[in-house]
Amino acid sequence: MLRLALAYLRERSLLSALNVLLLSLAVAMLVILLNFSAQMSDRFERDAQGIDLVVGAKGSPLQLILSSVYHVDMPTGNIPLSSIDLLRGDPAVARVIPVALGDNFRGFRIVGTEESYAQLYDAELAEGRMFTANSEAVLGSKVAEETGVTLGQQFVGSHGLVGDDGGAHEHHPMETVGILAPTGTVMDRLILVSVETVWDVHGIEHDHAHGDHDHGEDGHSHDHEAHDHGEAAHSHDHEAHDHGAHDHEAHDHGAHDHGAHAHGAHAHDDAPAAIAEPAEEQPMRAGGFQRPDALAPEVTALLVTYRSAAGAVRLPSMINRQTDMQAAVPAVETTRLLSMLGVGIDGARLFGWLLALIGGLSIFVALLNAASAREGELALLRMMGANKLQVFGTIIAEGVIIATAGAILGLLLGHGLLAVAASMFRPVQEMGLDPLHFEPAEITIVLLVIAIGVVAALIPAWRVFRADLTRILARAT
Amino acid sequence: MASPVLEISDLRLSFGSREIFNDFQLSLDPGNHTLLLGPSGSGKTSLINLVAGLLSPDSGTITVDGETMSGLSASARDDLRRRKIAVIFQTLRLISALSVRQNLLLAQKLSGVARDNDKVMTLLEAVGIETLADQRPKQLSQGEAQRAAIARALVAEPALLIADEPTSALDDANAGKVAELLLKTADDMGATLLVATHDARLKDNIPAAIELQSLETAVAA
């Protein structure tokens, strides 16, 4: 009887195809929404693992989280380097990881940070080693895969966070010293360098006192004297990196080819505040890069892990009230973001189910018409020996076949569209959406759509089941 | 002597106050070919429905190939029909979505006979449309479609073959051919044939006839 149902569907192939298409569009939409919301939620959770608090420049807390944790938005600005010591000195803080943003390589963000940032995501080296000196870079797995950069190769970052428009830092090539194994987190899409590398690339003079923050979780046990290279060491370092001219007074942007950065339009870009590109409303530092005090080393944000719950009670309010910085809690902001997005997603999901119901209604109308049109043939089937259940099953089978085909096609279409979106749209790539990921709830969608097909076929099938065969034969013969 | 393939005894059937059969009797021996003649409304179709188990009589018994229809449940009547009876209609001949060959294969399956493509082709050859085996019903002429319907009915190897107005839609030439074909194939298959019709042309081919005249009692001709 399944063959007969298929034959009937083939007989009116256009109508059948349209019904399949309608259902597949509904399923595709639901699959896309499901994967988008589920993967985004998972991603948010994974990327924020171990980060209790993010401290950054005043502005939108959500923007701070998005830029510093998920790396999908522009930073709110920069904060003074001294904030690291401020937080590391707090007994309620277990770990402070600095994040300095400002450049990208082929769209992948270059993050000035410390080794502990990779440890945050349990990132392990697939090749090479972690960076130990300036201009050394460690690539996330996706970066290496998509750019083709291999161990030992040099690359040049571009100013800005989203492409090559900001101009390349030709004079500061970075060497790939390590490639991380995939983590399934934002780490896969990042290029890690030391904070000093970011400063150097942007011509920001600094001493190496920051280095003593690099190698510990708590940051309290470092021997500052042992790591304080002072001016001499600084000069040495800059010579090594061809930054001999990084003198505050004689900060020669021309020598660094910063003309390409359109400094006139983005004076803040090359100032410390512009290590990260601030939000548009971020006030430009007075005097821009021409003022020596504007070139003080800064970082974009600090990722904080509490040592105790007391930190959660005290630190955010202390930072927000008593400093020029803001503290944002990733869990709170992502919940807020998901809640905002949730309204739209719920609306779209409702539309998707509405589309599925319209598909079901279309199947119902098609089968009702078909059952009426071929009532004589169904009676003939009975005369040929089919029982009532077999005839009933033929019509139900038609509904199930259409719904199943629609569901399967919808699954393929949904994942196909996700793949297209992931390959074409940068935000989707940055979100790390995996088009091949299969959400268990997709099975529920498929089953519900098949159920719609069954329900749509029930009434036509029931009418045939209940039909008076003698009357049909009298009409049909 | 072999027992009748169809035996109807004391059959009574009424629709409301309208009496269709009153103590109707009929007996058809194996291999018999019989016409059931009568004008429209004479009860031919009702008799076919009764024999096919689609209708239950008010009283009386109908026995097909030794199995009594009366008193059986609807599903048991379905099963008896499936195994013993095949019906050919005037216009309702084949399943439109299937090819001629697929129609015959489906008929085999539904009647519980093993699917046998060779047998199907042999039967199509017997009715002269083997070259049309893979055509859809709508691609056939009226005569070809009726031949296919005969093949479809016989492929299930029924004990009783009932034809309801098999030639009414056909011209004289085709009507004669179809009648001859019905007789020949029924003979070949050993099936008992009951042809219900108002088409008097068939008297030439099937001399034995029962005439339903006044919606009451059949008179053997």
Side-chain angles (χ1 to χ4, degrees):
Chain A
M1 299 311 275
L2 193 65
R3 283 184 188 174
L4 181 60
L6 281 168
Y8 274 133
L9 289 173
R10 271 200 305 271
E11 195 180 35
R12 48 194 171 89
S13 51
L14 182 63
L15 189 60
S16 302
L18 285 174
N19 284 330
V20 168
L21 184 67
L22 196 57
L23 277 181
S24 69
L25 288 175
V27 172
M29 187 170 181
L30 291 166
V31 164
I32 289 170
L33 288 170
L34 175 70
N35 274 279
F36 183 77
S37 57
Q39 288 195 43
M40 189 169 64
S41 182
D42 283 353
R43 192 66 193 249
F44 278 174
E45 198 174 311
R46 272 182 285 137
D47 288 354
Q49 63 187 350
I51 304 171
D52 296 323
L53 190 72
V54 179
V55 177
K58 292 276 191 200
S60 158
L62 179 58
Q63 187 182 348
L64 175 62
I65 299 295
L66 288 175
S67 62
S68 304
V69 178
Y70 304 117
H71 298 277
V72 290
D73 198 357
M74 293 298 123
T76 52
N78 287 326
I79 55 175
L81 197 58
S82 59
S83 57
I84 300 177
D85 285 335
L86 176 75
L87 287 170
R88 282 182 173 164
D90 194 299
V93 170
R95 178 171 57 193
V96 177
I97 301 170
V99 170
L101 304 173
D103 292 338
N104 78 91
F105 173 59
R106 295 187 194 168
F108 295 104
R109 291 188 178 195
I110 298 171
V111 181
T113 186
E114 298 172 357
E115 192 175 339
S116 54
Y117 188 48
Q119 292 163 358
L120 187 66
Y121 296 104
D122 296 325
E124 292 179 355
L125 282 161
E127 292 178 74
R129 58 175 174 79
M130 286 302 291
F131 55 81
T132 54
N134 286 3
S135 297
E136 288 184 345
V138 174
L139 311 187
S141 60
K142 204 75 182 173
V143 182
E145 181 188 322
E146 291 191 15
T147 62
V149 172
T150 55
L151 212 58
Q153 277 193 334
Q154 289 196 331
F155 64 91
V156 176
S158 297
H159 199 60
L161 297 175
V162 288
D164 299 333
D165 296 345
H169 293 292
E170 302 284 0
H171 56 296
H172 283 294
M174 296 182 196
E175 184 185 353
T176 307
V177 296
I179 295 172
L180 296 171
T183 62
T185 67
V186 69
M187 183 59 63
D188 297 343
R189 306 190 65 81
L190 298 178
I191 298 167
L192 305 187
V193 298
S194 67
V195 176
E196 290 85 349
T197 300
V198 176
W199 290 335
D200 286 345
V201 167
H202 292 86
I204 296 161
E205 186 147 340
H206 58 91
D207 63 27
H208 285 250
H210 174 69
D212 50 5
H213 298 291
D214 283 358
H215 310 291
E217 287 293 301
D218 57 17
H220 301 299
S221 60
H222 295 288
D223 180 353
H224 280 230
E225 286 191 10
H227 289 275
D228 186 358
H229 301 291
E231 288 301 319
H234 165 69
S235 299
H236 168 76
D237 192 39
H238 275 223
E239 278 172 21
H241 293 279
D242 197 20
H243 280 278
H246 281 214
D247 182 319
H248 283 194
E249 293 295 328
H251 187 71
D252 182 355
H253 284 263
H256 292 279
D257 196 20
H258 283 285
H261 298 176
H263 284 181
H266 302 283
H268 57 281
D269 281 3
D270 235 18
I275 291 172
E277 293 199 0
E280 286 181 8
E281 64 270 25
Q282 185 72 11
M284 187 186 295
R285 298 289 169 100
F289 55 71
Q290 293 178 351
R291 280 181 52 171
D293 59 350
L295 296 172
E298 293 179 317
V299 291
T300 307
L302 301 175
L303 311 179
V304 178
T305 306
Y306 297 134
R307 188 187 302 281
S308 66
V313 176
R314 183 175 50 78
L315 265 183
S317 58
M318 184 273 283
I319 291 167
N320 286 329
R321 288 178 188 173
Q322 298 176 17
T323 72
D324 287 337
M325 303 181 289
Q326 72 160 328
V329 181
V332 172
E333 296 307 320
T334 51
T335 303
R336 196 159 67 89
L337 177 64
L338 288 173
S339 167
M340 286 188 292
L341 288 172
V343 176
I345 289 173
D346 286 347
R349 189 178 288 131
L350 193 67
F351 181 73
W353 280 116
L354 198 64
L355 207 59
L357 288 178
I358 291 170
L361 195 66
S362 178
I363 293 175
F364 167 73
V365 172
L367 289 181
L368 200 63
N369 286 335
S372 295
R374 63 169 110 105
E375 63 172 4
E377 287 193 12
L378 296 173
L380 178 62
L381 271 179
R382 294 286 313 282
M383 295 304 292
M384 286 162 70
N387 59 37
K388 279 187 168 188
L389 272 178
Q390 284 175 309
V391 176
F392 179 86
T394 302
I395 295 177
I396 294 290
E398 286 184 54
V400 170
I401 290 168
I402 290 176
T404 306
I408 292 170
L409 188 65
L411 280 182
L412 296 174
L413 189 64
H415 285 281
L417 288 173
L418 282 172
V420 170
S423 67
M424 289 180 68
F425 303 114
R426 194 81 202 177
V428 180
Q429 289 169 7
E430 285 176 351
M431 211 187 93
L433 196 78
D434 179 7
L436 298 179
H437 175 78
F438 186 84
E439 278 293 319
E442 289 178 43
I443 294 171
T444 309
I445 292 175
V446 168
L447 292 178
L448 284 173
V449 167
I450 292 173
I452 286 174
V454 172
V455 171
L458 265 179
I459 292 177
W462 181 248
R463 279 166 60 105
V464 169
F465 186 82
R466 298 265 303 183
D468 182 344
L469 207 51
T470 57
R471 289 192 181 189
I472 294 173
L473 288 171
R475 278 200 298 267
T477 59
Chain B
M1 186 174 173
S3 49
V5 169
L6 175 65
E7 185 158 37
I8 300 173
S9 307
D10 307 326
L11 184 76
R12 284 172 180 260
L13 179 72
S14 300
F15 292 127
S17 60
R18 185 179 167 210
E19 190 176 63
I20 308 297
F21 295 110
N22 182 10
D23 291 332
F24 181 82
Q25 317 284 334
L26 179 66
S27 180
L28 298 181
D29 289 333
N32 270 9
H33 306 150
T34 306
L35 276 184
L36 189 63
L37 286 168
S40 292
S42 60
K44 298 191 299 295
T45 302
S46 294
L47 187 63
I48 290 173
N49 287 341
L50 284 163
V51 172
L54 303 175
L55 271 182
S56 293
D58 297 335
S59 64
T61 58
I62 300 171
T63 304
V64 178
D65 203 23
E67 295 186 44
T68 301
M69 186 89 66
S70 314
L72 292 179
S73 66
S75 62
R77 290 202 302 269
D78 284 348
D79 185 55
L80 178 57
R81 181 174 64 245
R82 182 176 68 80
R83 291 181 288 109
K84 306 279 188 184
I85 303 167
V87 184
I88 300 166
F89 296 102
Q90 179 184 344
T91 52
L92 193 59
R93 293 158 180 153
L94 300 163
I95 304 296
S96 62
L98 301 177
S99 68
V100 172
R101 184 207 307 267
Q102 288 170 329
N103 264 278
L104 269 63
L105 288 169
L106 178 64
Q108 280 183 328
K109 184 167 186 279
L110 289 176
S111 62
V113 176
R115 285 165 67 98
D116 184 344
N117 190 58
D118 290 342
K119 187 178 174 187
V120 164
M121 290 310 296
T122 303
L123 205 50
L124 289 177
E125 200 175 333
V127 298
I129 55 166
E130 70 278 10
T131 56
L132 305 174
D134 294 317
Q135 302 287 310
R136 291 288 173 85
K138 63 184 173 189
Q139 295 171 293
L140 306 180
S141 69
Q142 293 271 343
E144 288 166 345
Q146 197 59 296
R147 285 162 182 265
I150 292 168
R152 190 265 303 155
L154 289 169
V155 79
E157 301 174 4
L160 177 62
L161 176 61
I162 301 171
D164 185 10
E165 303 285 6
T167 55
S168 299
L170 304 179
D171 55 31
D172 286 351
N174 269 314
K177 283 180 187 171
V178 165
E180 283 173 22
L181 190 63
L182 261 175
L183 290 169
K184 180 179 179 301
T185 47
D187 276 343
D188 290 348
M189 305 293 291
T192 299
L193 177 65
L194 178 64
V195 180
T197 185
H198 67 273
D199 188 352
R201 294 176 296 182
L202 292 182
K203 280 185 176 174
D204 297 339
N205 303 87
I206 308 173
I210 297 169
E211 202 147 343
L212 296 177
Q213 293 177 333
S214 59
L215 304 178
E216 287 176 3
T217 307
V219 179

